[in-house]
Amino acid sequence: AFDIYVSQVAHRTNALIKALTIISTVILPAALIVAFFSTGFTGIKLLQSPLAFLVMVVLVLVTSASTLLVFRRRKLI
């Protein structure tokens, strides 16, 4: 009975670690993109325009969606 319990706990732990890894892998590129666009470059006027915000949002969505698509194709989610 103890071996079954330990095996079940290990399975749940592996599932949790897998989910946390996927979440962190999706969020890291998004955080880097947002950090780049919010660094406060005063000399580059392009990064201060409303178009830059739209580009940032699109980049975050595209990178997140493509990462999730890669995970789905490899049957990780």
Side-chain angles (χ1 to χ4, degrees), residues 5-71:
Y5 171 73
V6 170
S7 176
Q8 188 178 23
V9 169
H11 181 67
R12 276 189 270 154
T13 303
N14 287 341
L16 178 66
I17 295 299
K18 181 179 173 181
L20 289 174
T21 302
I22 290 172
I23 290 170
S24 64
T25 305
V26 170
I27 290 177
L28 179 66
L32 289 174
I33 292 169
V34 170
F36 174 75
F37 277 93
S38 67
T39 53
F41 290 120
T42 57
I44 303 174
K45 299 293 184 193
L46 178 66
L47 294 178
Q48 299 173 352
S49 70
L51 178 64
F53 178 74
L54 181 63
V55 168
M56 179 187 68
V57 170
V58 168
L59 280 173
V60 167
L61 291 175
V62 166
T63 57
S64 298
S66 63
T67 304
L68 289 172
L69 183 65
V70 167
F71 282 144

